[in-house]
Amino acid sequence: KQPIIALFFFIAAFFGIYHLIKHEKNIALMLLSFPILYFLYVSSLKTMYVRNLLPIAPFLAVFSTQGIEFLFQKIKNVKVAKFFSVLVAAFLIWNAVWLVQAAQSVKERKNVNYVEASANYITENTEKRFVISPFLLKELNETDRKFDRPHF
């Protein structure tokens, strides 16, 4: 949802990985082994869902913080260092606000009566045949409309 922020922290993660490999080989090996093996495993599955990559997120966060620290140490100009600090803080705040808004949208999502929506769809599409569960059929027949078996 926030590609600029994601790209910034993704690039920072690569700097963090570089820094760890260069200065802390054992820690880098330990921290990189799970994400790499897990990514290879998930990539081999027939179905690929983004949510399957969530276990890698904490590792990317660690690598990003290492990368930001690495980049910050490389900055010699005080004004550039202050700008970089403000930029990182702004991105973190921007992301936090978006996360709160996303959580709020889930909390306040529109509740849909799926039985009523199904009944409407079936009524509007009488030329089609439907395969539905006995439970849904029972629920449909408890609405103000009755459904007989030949439509299903």
Side-chain angles (χ1 to χ4, degrees):
K1 188 70 179 180
Q2 306 294 341
I4 295 170
I5 297 171
L7 183 62
F8 175 81
F9 286 109
F10 189 68
I11 291 170
F14 280 106
F15 280 105
I17 291 168
Y18 166 79
H19 175 72
L20 282 173
I21 289 172
K22 188 173 179 183
H23 298 288
E24 302 284 342
K25 286 183 177 44
N26 290 335
I27 293 174
L29 179 64
M30 183 179 67
L31 288 176
L32 283 169
S33 59
F34 174 77
I36 290 171
L37 292 173
Y38 183 80
F39 182 77
L40 291 173
Y41 166 72
V42 169
S43 297
S44 72
L45 299 176
K46 297 245 186 255
T47 56
M48 182 63 174
Y49 299 109
V50 173
R51 69 174 179 255
N52 292 347
L53 296 175
L54 284 176
I56 296 175
F59 293 93
L60 288 175
V62 169
F63 298 141
S64 290
T65 56
Q66 288 290 317
I68 289 168
E69 176 64 24
F70 171 74
L71 291 170
F72 189 75
Q73 288 176 358
K74 294 291 181 187
I75 298 171
K76 303 296 183 209
N77 187 316
V78 175
K79 288 183 180 181
V80 174
K82 285 182 182 180
F83 174 78
F84 185 71
S85 298
V86 169
L87 181 69
V88 170
F91 280 171
L92 290 172
I93 291 168
W94 185 5
N95 192 54
V97 167
W98 178 82
L99 288 172
V100 169
Q101 289 173 342
Q104 195 68 23
S105 73
V106 170
K107 180 182 171 192
E108 296 173 356
R109 74 179 183 270
K110 185 172 68 171
N111 288 330
V112 176
N113 182 341
Y114 292 103
V115 174
E116 189 63 35
S118 298
N120 291 338
Y121 186 79
I122 291 168
T123 303
E124 293 167 4
N125 295 282
T126 55
E127 73 284 353
K128 294 182 182 178
R129 293 186 55 83
F130 300 93
V131 177
I132 60 170
S133 69
F135 176 77
L136 180 58
L137 181 61
K138 178 180 169 264
E139 293 289 318
L140 287 169
N141 283 324
E142 290 177 3
T143 64
D144 58 347
R145 295 171 276 190
K146 297 295 179 202
F147 295 89
D148 54 352
R149 261 330 220 181
H151 290 94
F152 305 105

